[in-house]
Amino acid sequence: MPEMDGLSAARASTAQQPADRRPRIVALTANAFAEDREEGLAVGMDDYLSKPLQRDRLMIAALSRALRLVESR
């Protein structure tokens, strides 16, 4: 994204929407350090996956957690 990075985009997105109306944000990034993940989650990302993408991690980690959140509402 030429205007902002993913952290900035997540901050902007979460600041503009009430918690119950904002989109789920799942980062897919080459930044795989624990501190990168912590920072992403701290700015409002709902999940943080590192490359190379493993399909089972996407399904289990990100999508199943999102489904549980929707079902609990």
Side-chain angles (χ1 to χ4, degrees):
M1 296 182 297
E3 297 85 32
M4 63 178 72
D5 62 17
L7 294 171
S8 299
R11 277 189 206 96
S13 178
T14 57
Q16 295 172 2
Q17 299 288 332
D20 64 334
R21 306 258 342 219
R22 67 179 184 86
R24 289 200 43 84
I25 302 171
V26 178
L28 177 59
T29 179
N31 299 332
F33 295 109
E35 55 269 13
D36 296 323
R37 178 182 172 76
E38 291 168 12
E39 184 177 13
L41 297 175
V43 301
M45 293 177 177
D46 298 293
D47 216 322
Y48 193 96
L49 304 175
S50 58
K51 295 177 185 177
L53 178 63
Q54 296 172 343
R55 185 177 173 182
D56 61 330
R57 283 192 60 214
L58 175 62
M59 297 298 291
I60 294 168
L63 299 179
S64 63
R65 277 197 291 266
L67 183 58
R68 283 194 303 268
L69 288 173
V70 169
E71 290 173 345
S72 69
R73 287 185 182 177

